[in-house]
Amino acid sequence: MKHERPGIELSGRPLGFAEMVTIGAGKAAVSASATGMARIAIAREVVEDAIASGMPVYGSTTGVGAMKDVEWSADELDTFNLGLVRAHHFGTGTPFSCNIVRNAMAIRINTALTGQVGCTPELIQAYIRMLEADLIPVVRRTGSIGCADIGLMGQIGAVLTGVGEAIYRGNRMQAAEAFQAAGLEPMRMAPRDSLASLSVNAVSFASAAETTRNAAASIRVLLATAMMAAGALGASRDPWKAVRHVGTAREALIGAWLCNASDEWNWPVATHVQDPLSLRMIAQVFGAVIENLLSTGHKILAATGRSDDNPVVVEGRVMTSGGSLPLDVTILLESAALCMAHAARNAFNRCVILGNGQRRDLPVNLVPPGRIATGFGPIIKLAGEIFSRVLSMSNPVSAQSLVVAAGLEDEAAFLPLVIERFDRQMRALKRLAALEALLSAQAIDILGDEPKGVAAMLYEVVRKHADFYTVDRPLSAEVEAIEEELGSDEFVTKLTEQVPIASFDDFFALGSLQRIEERLTHHEPAAV
């Protein structure tokens, strides 16, 4: 039986994470709504009327940036518009994943469907044909200061004209070769199409969405390992119960999750009056983190449904705009980076307590009694290095000064750099979660505890890849294997099904692609 691809009709309204996961994986049949295409046609008429009247239209009949005052004659426009998009194929470095590029193309289609761009309908149809054929431009990641992804989107636009590189059926090749293999024709860029294909932040928004969703999954796993460590250390559940009455809504949500996730495991309580803050304030730390991630996620989704072009078509006119500065998304992502540092510190502090011999008569470095070994002391240093690494990437960069284009362009958000640093933090947190789970499993075995529920799931993963530690041995490969499995979509699916945080898990569409596809396929084709 042929697998049914969910149909996703773009209409100019913001996308959701489930839709972007599916589009990014190349598993959705993407189309444009008739209403949105009608809006594009109306806006195009406004642009063509302005050009016919002799009005200078930025980036269509004039140069861009420092060349804004240079006007092109009618017989120069084809050459200018072809050259404009190709000149902005200047990105370098490791390419983005095809998932991110597919979503960037979908976001460009979607924001044009607002009817505020002025591009031709043919430009949008060209993007859709490329998505249908799964002909995906190679987009090298270094090339945007975060005030329109000109060096990133320019690589997609250049491929539309038949130059640059693309991935077709898993093979990287020259764009002209890919078009021929797919049976497609390169596009002739009409006035306004070139600038519309490059002067937006669609790659950054697609990348921000993927990284924020991955961060949400990492935080879910780190929250679970926090609960596992708390059980191994004999923490009191009272602060988790109390926060449901006196905390913020998000803190109460985390407190409830901690109680529910640990309900089956009746560990011996080793608390005298109260616990260290890294145990007692798990709900406060993670409550703040998920509050920020939700706010950041909502801001990113909003950006997928509004035009950040310059110029724009509004009130029946072509108007210059400052919408290409994505400062709202950038600042929230920088706040998210600070939240990651708090989560990392919280986990690192528990790792220290697990190994310092101060709780439940656990031995120093978790060396079993009677054994001659160094134990986990060295690996706790790795946890400290990871925390410091995460902290070092939490300093804001968006407010630094940069003046380009002969002084005309003197504001930038550095969104791609912010996302890159956030992504590195998220990856580091996955390793920290693996370390916390490994240390907790060792403590549990030394004490003879029997973890249940979520803790048992984590314990099973650890022991699948790492035996109980009795003799000093290399741990690098074991840590990496635990990290890989805990960070997998399969494990996150199992975790979110075992004890869900519905408002968080569903918003970020956490879990496996299969589960997301099924949810979309079993409903009417989504109009987003």
PDB file of all heavy atoms in Angstrom, residues 239-272:
ATOM      1  N   PRO A 239       9.165  19.865  47.710  1.00  0.00           N
ATOM      2  CA  PRO A 239       9.235  21.103  46.926  1.00  0.00           C
ATOM      3  C   PRO A 239       8.468  21.011  45.604  1.00  0.00           C
ATOM      4  O   PRO A 239       7.955  22.022  45.120  1.00  0.00           O
ATOM      5  CB  PRO A 239      10.736  21.276  46.682  1.00  0.00           C
ATOM      6  CG  PRO A 239      11.388  20.562  47.809  1.00  0.00           C
ATOM      7  CD  PRO A 239      10.513  19.372  48.064  1.00  0.00           C
ATOM      8  N   TRP A 240       8.396  19.806  45.026  1.00  0.00           N
ATOM      9  CA  TRP A 240       7.651  19.641  43.779  1.00  0.00           C
ATOM     10  C   TRP A 240       6.149  19.723  44.028  1.00  0.00           C
ATOM     11  O   TRP A 240       5.406  20.220  43.178  1.00  0.00           O
ATOM     12  CB  TRP A 240       7.994  18.296  43.132  1.00  0.00           C
ATOM     13  CG  TRP A 240       9.462  18.075  42.924  1.00  0.00           C
ATOM     14  CD1 TRP A 240      10.451  19.027  42.959  1.00  0.00           C
ATOM     15  CD2 TRP A 240      10.115  16.836  42.666  1.00  0.00           C
ATOM     16  NE1 TRP A 240      11.676  18.449  42.723  1.00  0.00           N
ATOM     17  CE2 TRP A 240      11.495  17.095  42.544  1.00  0.00           C
ATOM     18  CE3 TRP A 240       9.673  15.518  42.529  1.00  0.00           C
ATOM     19  CZ2 TRP A 240      12.440  16.099  42.286  1.00  0.00           C
ATOM     20  CZ3 TRP A 240      10.598  14.519  42.264  1.00  0.00           C
ATOM     21  CH2 TRP A 240      11.965  14.806  42.143  1.00  0.00           C
ATOM     22  N   LYS A 241       5.735  19.241  45.174  1.00  0.00           N
ATOM     23  CA  LYS A 241       4.325  19.356  45.534  1.00  0.00           C
ATOM     24  C   LYS A 241       3.976  20.789  45.905  1.00  0.00           C
ATOM     25  O   LYS A 241       2.918  21.308  45.522  1.00  0.00           O
ATOM     26  CB  LYS A 241       4.002  18.420  46.704  1.00  0.00           C
ATOM     27  CG  LYS A 241       4.211  16.942  46.379  1.00  0.00           C
ATOM     28  CD  LYS A 241       4.038  16.068  47.621  1.00  0.00           C
ATOM     29  CE  LYS A 241       4.285  14.597  47.305  1.00  0.00           C
ATOM     30  NZ  LYS A 241       4.224  13.737  48.504  1.00  0.00           N
ATOM     31  N   ALA A 242       4.885  21.433  46.632  1.00  0.00           N
ATOM     32  CA  ALA A 242       4.630  22.802  47.075  1.00  0.00           C
ATOM     33  C   ALA A 242       4.527  23.773  45.907  1.00  0.00           C
ATOM     34  O   ALA A 242       3.685  24.688  45.908  1.00  0.00           O
ATOM     35  CB  ALA A 242       5.745  23.251  48.027  1.00  0.00           C
ATOM     36  N   VAL A 243       5.377  23.566  44.876  1.00  0.00           N
ATOM     37  CA  VAL A 243       5.405  24.521  43.763  1.00  0.00           C
ATOM     38  C   VAL A 243       4.103  24.492  42.970  1.00  0.00           C
ATOM     39  O   VAL A 243       3.752  25.471  42.297  1.00  0.00           O
ATOM     40  CB  VAL A 243       6.618  24.234  42.840  1.00  0.00           C
ATOM     41  CG1 VAL A 243       6.359  23.030  41.934  1.00  0.00           C
ATOM     42  CG2 VAL A 243       6.985  25.468  42.024  1.00  0.00           C
ATOM     43  N   ARG A 244       3.360  23.397  43.089  1.00  0.00           N
ATOM     44  CA  ARG A 244       2.066  23.338  42.410  1.00  0.00           C
ATOM     45  C   ARG A 244       1.065  24.310  43.035  1.00  0.00           C
ATOM     46  O   ARG A 244       0.052  24.645  42.410  1.00  0.00           O
ATOM     47  CB  ARG A 244       1.530  21.909  42.468  1.00  0.00           C
ATOM     48  CG  ARG A 244       2.452  20.910  41.786  1.00  0.00           C
ATOM     49  CD  ARG A 244       2.091  19.467  42.061  1.00  0.00           C
ATOM     50  NE  ARG A 244       0.838  19.088  41.428  1.00  0.00           N
ATOM     51  CZ  ARG A 244       0.356  17.841  41.437  1.00  0.00           C
ATOM     52  NH1 ARG A 244       1.033  16.870  42.037  1.00  0.00           N
ATOM     53  NH2 ARG A 244      -0.784  17.558  40.850  1.00  0.00           N
ATOM     54  N   HIS A 245       1.362  24.769  44.238  1.00  0.00           N
ATOM     55  CA  HIS A 245       0.477  25.709  44.922  1.00  0.00           C
ATOM     56  C   HIS A 245       1.026  27.133  44.940  1.00  0.00           C
ATOM     57  O   HIS A 245       0.250  28.090  44.938  1.00  0.00           O
ATOM     58  CB  HIS A 245       0.239  25.235  46.368  1.00  0.00           C
ATOM     59  CG  HIS A 245      -0.372  23.872  46.461  1.00  0.00           C
ATOM     60  ND1 HIS A 245      -1.718  23.647  46.306  1.00  0.00           N
ATOM     61  CD2 HIS A 245       0.195  22.655  46.679  1.00  0.00           C
ATOM     62  CE1 HIS A 245      -1.973  22.350  46.439  1.00  0.00           C
ATOM     63  NE2 HIS A 245      -0.821  21.721  46.664  1.00  0.00           N
ATOM     64  N   VAL A 246       2.331  27.263  44.974  1.00  0.00           N
ATOM     65  CA  VAL A 246       2.913  28.600  45.168  1.00  0.00           C
ATOM     66  C   VAL A 246       3.749  29.072  43.983  1.00  0.00           C
ATOM     67  O   VAL A 246       4.212  30.217  43.972  1.00  0.00           O
ATOM     68  CB  VAL A 246       3.793  28.638  46.440  1.00  0.00           C
ATOM     69  CG1 VAL A 246       2.968  28.288  47.663  1.00  0.00           C
ATOM     70  CG2 VAL A 246       5.005  27.713  46.323  1.00  0.00           C
ATOM     71  N   GLY A 247       3.962  28.240  42.988  1.00  0.00           N
ATOM     72  CA  GLY A 247       4.813  28.623  41.858  1.00  0.00           C
ATOM     73  C   GLY A 247       4.046  29.274  40.735  1.00  0.00           C
ATOM     74  O   GLY A 247       2.811  29.405  40.775  1.00  0.00           O
ATOM     75  N   THR A 248       4.786  29.678  39.705  1.00  0.00           N
ATOM     76  CA  THR A 248       4.154  30.175  38.485  1.00  0.00           C
ATOM     77  C   THR A 248       3.456  29.010  37.783  1.00  0.00           C
ATOM     78  O   THR A 248       3.639  27.845  38.138  1.00  0.00           O
ATOM     79  CB  THR A 248       5.199  30.775  37.537  1.00  0.00           C
ATOM     80  OG1 THR A 248       6.057  29.714  37.054  1.00  0.00           O
ATOM     81  CG2 THR A 248       6.056  31.825  38.233  1.00  0.00           C
ATOM     82  N   ALA A 249       2.691  29.316  36.753  1.00  0.00           N
ATOM     83  CA  ALA A 249       1.972  28.262  36.031  1.00  0.00           C
ATOM     84  C   ALA A 249       2.947  27.250  35.434  1.00  0.00           C
ATOM     85  O   ALA A 249       2.697  26.033  35.473  1.00  0.00           O
ATOM     86  CB  ALA A 249       1.110  28.880  34.934  1.00  0.00           C
ATOM     87  N   ARG A 250       4.069  27.729  34.884  1.00  0.00           N
ATOM     88  CA  ARG A 250       5.048  26.804  34.286  1.00  0.00           C
ATOM     89  C   ARG A 250       5.770  26.017  35.364  1.00  0.00           C
ATOM     90  O   ARG A 250       6.056  24.829  35.192  1.00  0.00           O
ATOM     91  CB  ARG A 250       6.055  27.566  33.430  1.00  0.00           C
ATOM     92  CG  ARG A 250       5.473  28.395  32.313  1.00  0.00           C
ATOM     93  CD  ARG A 250       4.663  27.573  31.328  1.00  0.00           C
ATOM     94  NE  ARG A 250       4.186  28.401  30.236  1.00  0.00           N
ATOM     95  CZ  ARG A 250       3.170  28.110  29.439  1.00  0.00           C
ATOM     96  NH1 ARG A 250       2.510  26.979  29.617  1.00  0.00           N
ATOM     97  NH2 ARG A 250       2.806  28.925  28.472  1.00  0.00           N
ATOM     98  N   GLU A 251       6.112  26.648  36.465  1.00  0.00           N
ATOM     99  CA  GLU A 251       6.755  25.933  37.570  1.00  0.00           C
ATOM    100  C   GLU A 251       5.832  24.841  38.114  1.00  0.00           C
ATOM    101  O   GLU A 251       6.272  23.721  38.406  1.00  0.00           O
ATOM    102  CB  GLU A 251       7.132  26.913  38.679  1.00  0.00           C
ATOM    103  CG  GLU A 251       8.243  27.870  38.295  1.00  0.00           C
ATOM    104  CD  GLU A 251       8.410  29.004  39.302  1.00  0.00           C
ATOM    105  OE1 GLU A 251       7.635  29.047  40.279  1.00  0.00           O
ATOM    106  OE2 GLU A 251       9.316  29.837  39.098  1.00  0.00           O
ATOM    107  N   ALA A 252       4.555  25.172  38.253  1.00  0.00           N
ATOM    108  CA  ALA A 252       3.582  24.191  38.728  1.00  0.00           C
ATOM    109  C   ALA A 252       3.464  23.026  37.747  1.00  0.00           C
ATOM    110  O   ALA A 252       3.314  21.864  38.160  1.00  0.00           O
ATOM    111  CB  ALA A 252       2.224  24.858  38.920  1.00  0.00           C
ATOM    112  N   LEU A 253       3.537  23.336  36.449  1.00  0.00           N
ATOM    113  CA  LEU A 253       3.480  22.298  35.421  1.00  0.00           C
ATOM    114  C   LEU A 253       4.649  21.327  35.573  1.00  0.00           C
ATOM    115  O   LEU A 253       4.476  20.105  35.511  1.00  0.00           O
ATOM    116  CB  LEU A 253       3.500  22.949  34.039  1.00  0.00           C
ATOM    117  CG  LEU A 253       3.282  22.039  32.834  1.00  0.00           C
ATOM    118  CD1 LEU A 253       1.862  21.483  32.833  1.00  0.00           C
ATOM    119  CD2 LEU A 253       3.543  22.814  31.546  1.00  0.00           C
ATOM    120  N   ILE A 254       5.846  21.865  35.795  1.00  0.00           N
ATOM    121  CA  ILE A 254       7.024  21.010  35.964  1.00  0.00           C
ATOM    122  C   ILE A 254       6.943  20.245  37.276  1.00  0.00           C
ATOM    123  O   ILE A 254       7.294  19.052  37.345  1.00  0.00           O
ATOM    124  CB  ILE A 254       8.315  21.845  35.899  1.00  0.00           C
ATOM    125  CG1 ILE A 254       8.452  22.509  34.528  1.00  0.00           C
ATOM    126  CG2 ILE A 254       9.536  20.977  36.188  1.00  0.00           C
ATOM    127  CD1 ILE A 254       8.479  21.548  33.374  1.00  0.00           C
ATOM    128  N   GLY A 255       6.490  20.900  38.335  1.00  0.00           N
ATOM    129  CA  GLY A 255       6.317  20.207  39.608  1.00  0.00           C
ATOM    130  C   GLY A 255       5.382  19.027  39.475  1.00  0.00           C
ATOM    131  O   GLY A 255       5.648  17.933  40.003  1.00  0.00           O
ATOM    132  N   ALA A 256       4.281  19.227  38.771  1.00  0.00           N
ATOM    133  CA  ALA A 256       3.323  18.136  38.559  1.00  0.00           C
ATOM    134  C   ALA A 256       3.962  17.007  37.757  1.00  0.00           C
ATOM    135  O   ALA A 256       3.754  15.822  38.061  1.00  0.00           O
ATOM    136  CB  ALA A 256       2.087  18.668  37.838  1.00  0.00           C
ATOM    137  N   TRP A 257       4.762  17.376  36.729  1.00  0.00           N
ATOM    138  CA  TRP A 257       5.415  16.348  35.920  1.00  0.00           C
ATOM    139  C   TRP A 257       6.398  15.539  36.764  1.00  0.00           C
ATOM    140  O   TRP A 257       6.432  14.306  36.676  1.00  0.00           O
ATOM    141  CB  TRP A 257       6.157  16.975  34.739  1.00  0.00           C
ATOM    142  CG  TRP A 257       6.705  15.920  33.803  1.00  0.00           C
ATOM    143  CD1 TRP A 257       6.074  15.372  32.730  1.00  0.00           C
ATOM    144  CD2 TRP A 257       7.969  15.256  33.912  1.00  0.00           C
ATOM    145  NE1 TRP A 257       6.870  14.404  32.153  1.00  0.00           N
ATOM    146  CE2 TRP A 257       8.046  14.314  32.853  1.00  0.00           C
ATOM    147  CE3 TRP A 257       9.052  15.352  34.783  1.00  0.00           C
ATOM    148  CZ2 TRP A 257       9.158  13.492  32.655  1.00  0.00           C
ATOM    149  CZ3 TRP A 257      10.160  14.537  34.590  1.00  0.00           C
ATOM    150  CH2 TRP A 257      10.205  13.622  33.542  1.00  0.00           C
ATOM    151  N   LEU A 258       7.181  16.206  37.585  1.00  0.00           N
ATOM    152  CA  LEU A 258       8.148  15.511  38.428  1.00  0.00           C
ATOM    153  C   LEU A 258       7.452  14.526  39.370  1.00  0.00           C
ATOM    154  O   LEU A 258       7.919  13.404  39.572  1.00  0.00           O
ATOM    155  CB  LEU A 258       8.970  16.522  39.223  1.00  0.00           C
ATOM    156  CG  LEU A 258       9.985  17.354  38.423  1.00  0.00           C
ATOM    157  CD1 LEU A 258      10.468  18.550  39.238  1.00  0.00           C
ATOM    158  CD2 LEU A 258      11.169  16.498  37.996  1.00  0.00           C
ATOM    159  N   CYS A 259       6.332  14.955  39.938  1.00  0.00           N
ATOM    160  CA  CYS A 259       5.578  14.065  40.834  1.00  0.00           C
ATOM    161  C   CYS A 259       5.012  12.872  40.061  1.00  0.00           C
ATOM    162  O   CYS A 259       5.119  11.713  40.509  1.00  0.00           O
ATOM    163  CB  CYS A 259       4.448  14.833  41.508  1.00  0.00           C
ATOM    164  SG  CYS A 259       5.004  16.047  42.742  1.00  0.00           S
ATOM    165  N   ASN A 260       4.436  13.141  38.893  1.00  0.00           N
ATOM    166  CA  ASN A 260       3.837  12.060  38.105  1.00  0.00           C
ATOM    167  C   ASN A 260       4.895  11.092  37.571  1.00  0.00           C
ATOM    168  O   ASN A 260       4.692   9.879  37.571  1.00  0.00           O
ATOM    169  CB  ASN A 260       3.042  12.648  36.936  1.00  0.00           C
ATOM    170  CG  ASN A 260       1.817  13.412  37.389  1.00  0.00           C
ATOM    171  OD1 ASN A 260       1.283  13.153  38.471  1.00  0.00           O
ATOM    172  ND2 ASN A 260       1.361  14.365  36.582  1.00  0.00           N
ATOM    173  N   ALA A 261       6.015  11.657  37.119  1.00  0.00           N
ATOM    174  CA  ALA A 261       7.053  10.815  36.532  1.00  0.00           C
ATOM    175  C   ALA A 261       7.754   9.945  37.567  1.00  0.00           C
ATOM    176  O   ALA A 261       8.329   8.911  37.223  1.00  0.00           O
ATOM    177  CB  ALA A 261       8.085  11.686  35.806  1.00  0.00           C
ATOM    178  N   SER A 262       7.729  10.359  38.822  1.00  0.00           N
ATOM    179  CA  SER A 262       8.411   9.604  39.881  1.00  0.00           C
ATOM    180  C   SER A 262       7.439   8.823  40.763  1.00  0.00           C
ATOM    181  O   SER A 262       7.851   8.194  41.741  1.00  0.00           O
ATOM    182  CB  SER A 262       9.214  10.568  40.766  1.00  0.00           C
ATOM    183  OG  SER A 262       8.356  11.486  41.437  1.00  0.00           O
ATOM    184  N   ASP A 263       6.165   8.854  40.408  1.00  0.00           N
ATOM    185  CA  ASP A 263       5.136   8.292  41.280  1.00  0.00           C
ATOM    186  C   ASP A 263       5.341   6.794  41.546  1.00  0.00           C
ATOM    187  O   ASP A 263       5.080   6.307  42.648  1.00  0.00           O
ATOM    188  CB  ASP A 263       3.763   8.528  40.646  1.00  0.00           C
ATOM    189  CG  ASP A 263       2.628   8.063  41.545  1.00  0.00           C
ATOM    190  OD1 ASP A 263       2.561   8.542  42.692  1.00  0.00           O
ATOM    191  OD2 ASP A 263       1.833   7.216  41.101  1.00  0.00           O
ATOM    192  N   GLU A 264       5.830   6.059  40.538  1.00  0.00           N
ATOM    193  CA  GLU A 264       5.981   4.610  40.686  1.00  0.00           C
ATOM    194  C   GLU A 264       7.223   4.221  41.485  1.00  0.00           C
ATOM    195  O   GLU A 264       7.344   3.073  41.924  1.00  0.00           O
ATOM    196  CB  GLU A 264       6.058   3.958  39.304  1.00  0.00           C
ATOM    197  CG  GLU A 264       4.819   4.109  38.447  1.00  0.00           C
ATOM    198  CD  GLU A 264       5.007   3.460  37.083  1.00  0.00           C
ATOM    199  OE1 GLU A 264       5.305   2.245  37.034  1.00  0.00           O
ATOM    200  OE2 GLU A 264       4.889   4.167  36.059  1.00  0.00           O
ATOM    201  N   TRP A 265       8.151   5.151  41.636  1.00  0.00           N
ATOM    202  CA  TRP A 265       9.433   4.830  42.270  1.00  0.00           C
ATOM    203  C   TRP A 265       9.448   5.416  43.681  1.00  0.00           C
ATOM    204  O   TRP A 265       9.608   6.622  43.866  1.00  0.00           O
ATOM    205  CB  TRP A 265      10.572   5.400  41.421  1.00  0.00           C
ATOM    206  CG  TRP A 265      11.944   5.110  41.955  1.00  0.00           C
ATOM    207  CD1 TRP A 265      12.299   4.199  42.887  1.00  0.00           C
ATOM    208  CD2 TRP A 265      13.157   5.774  41.558  1.00  0.00           C
ATOM    209  NE1 TRP A 265      13.646   4.226  43.118  1.00  0.00           N
ATOM    210  CE2 TRP A 265      14.207   5.185  42.304  1.00  0.00           C
ATOM    211  CE3 TRP A 265      13.456   6.790  40.660  1.00  0.00           C
ATOM    212  CZ2 TRP A 265      15.534   5.605  42.174  1.00  0.00           C
ATOM    213  CZ3 TRP A 265      14.775   7.196  40.526  1.00  0.00           C
ATOM    214  CH2 TRP A 265      15.803   6.595  41.275  1.00  0.00           C
ATOM    215  N   ASN A 266       9.309   4.584  44.648  1.00  0.00           N
ATOM    216  CA  ASN A 266       9.257   5.020  46.043  1.00  0.00           C
ATOM    217  C   ASN A 266      10.668   4.967  46.649  1.00  0.00           C
ATOM    218  O   ASN A 266      10.999   4.093  47.438  1.00  0.00           O
ATOM    219  CB  ASN A 266       8.287   4.142  46.845  1.00  0.00           C
ATOM    220  CG  ASN A 266       8.067   4.674  48.252  1.00  0.00           C
ATOM    221  OD1 ASN A 266       8.190   5.878  48.497  1.00  0.00           O
ATOM    222  ND2 ASN A 266       7.752   3.780  49.175  1.00  0.00           N
ATOM    223  N   TRP A 267      11.492   5.944  46.297  1.00  0.00           N
ATOM    224  CA  TRP A 267      12.876   5.906  46.773  1.00  0.00           C
ATOM    225  C   TRP A 267      12.985   6.337  48.232  1.00  0.00           C
ATOM    226  O   TRP A 267      12.157   7.122  48.725  1.00  0.00           O
ATOM    227  CB  TRP A 267      13.778   6.786  45.903  1.00  0.00           C
ATOM    228  CG  TRP A 267      13.459   8.263  45.899  1.00  0.00           C
ATOM    229  CD1 TRP A 267      13.598   9.151  46.922  1.00  0.00           C
ATOM    230  CD2 TRP A 267      12.969   9.023  44.790  1.00  0.00           C
ATOM    231  NE1 TRP A 267      13.233  10.405  46.545  1.00  0.00           N
ATOM    232  CE2 TRP A 267      12.848  10.365  45.226  1.00  0.00           C
ATOM    233  CE3 TRP A 267      12.634   8.727  43.479  1.00  0.00           C
ATOM    234  CZ2 TRP A 267      12.401  11.393  44.385  1.00  0.00           C
ATOM    235  CZ3 TRP A 267      12.201   9.744  42.653  1.00  0.00           C
ATOM    236  CH2 TRP A 267      12.079  11.049  43.111  1.00  0.00           C
ATOM    237  N   PRO A 268      13.987   5.855  48.950  1.00  0.00           N
ATOM    238  CA  PRO A 268      14.192   6.282  50.341  1.00  0.00           C
ATOM    239  C   PRO A 268      14.613   7.744  50.397  1.00  0.00           C
ATOM    240  O   PRO A 268      15.523   8.165  49.674  1.00  0.00           O
ATOM    241  CB  PRO A 268      15.333   5.373  50.834  1.00  0.00           C
ATOM    242  CG  PRO A 268      15.384   4.246  49.850  1.00  0.00           C
ATOM    243  CD  PRO A 268      14.935   4.808  48.551  1.00  0.00           C
ATOM    244  N   VAL A 269      13.949   8.524  51.230  1.00  0.00           N
ATOM    245  CA  VAL A 269      14.249   9.959  51.333  1.00  0.00           C
ATOM    246  C   VAL A 269      15.395  10.173  52.304  1.00  0.00           C
ATOM    247  O   VAL A 269      15.371   9.685  53.444  1.00  0.00           O
ATOM    248  CB  VAL A 269      13.004  10.746  51.772  1.00  0.00           C
ATOM    249  CG1 VAL A 269      13.345  12.224  51.978  1.00  0.00           C
ATOM    250  CG2 VAL A 269      11.886  10.598  50.739  1.00  0.00           C
ATOM    251  N   ALA A 270      16.419  10.895  51.842  1.00  0.00           N
ATOM    252  CA  ALA A 270      17.607  11.153  52.665  1.00  0.00           C
ATOM    253  C   ALA A 270      17.710  12.618  53.069  1.00  0.00           C
ATOM    254  O   ALA A 270      18.786  13.099  53.420  1.00  0.00           O
ATOM    255  CB  ALA A 270      18.863  10.755  51.888  1.00  0.00           C
ATOM    256  N   THR A 271      16.594  13.325  53.041  1.00  0.00           N
ATOM    257  CA  THR A 271      16.597  14.762  53.290  1.00  0.00           C
ATOM    258  C   THR A 271      16.500  15.075  54.777  1.00  0.00           C
ATOM    259  O   THR A 271      15.653  14.515  55.481  1.00  0.00           O
ATOM    260  CB  THR A 271      15.413  15.426  52.558  1.00  0.00           C
ATOM    261  OG1 THR A 271      15.538  15.165  51.161  1.00  0.00           O
ATOM    262  CG2 THR A 271      15.390  16.924  52.798  1.00  0.00           C
ATOM    263  N   HIS A 272      17.346  15.976  55.254  1.00  0.00           N
ATOM    264  CA  HIS A 272      17.224  16.520  56.601  1.00  0.00           C
ATOM    265  C   HIS A 272      16.822  17.981  56.462  1.00  0.00           C
ATOM    266  O   HIS A 272      17.616  18.822  56.026  1.00  0.00           O
ATOM    267  CB  HIS A 272      18.549  16.407  57.365  1.00  0.00           C
ATOM    268  CG  HIS A 272      18.477  16.987  58.749  1.00  0.00           C
ATOM    269  ND1 HIS A 272      17.684  16.427  59.746  1.00  0.00           N
ATOM    270  CD2 HIS A 272      19.071  18.078  59.301  1.00  0.00           C
ATOM    271  CE1 HIS A 272      17.806  17.146  60.849  1.00  0.00           C
ATOM    272  NE2 HIS A 272      18.641  18.157  60.607  1.00  0.00           N
TER     273      HIS A 272
END
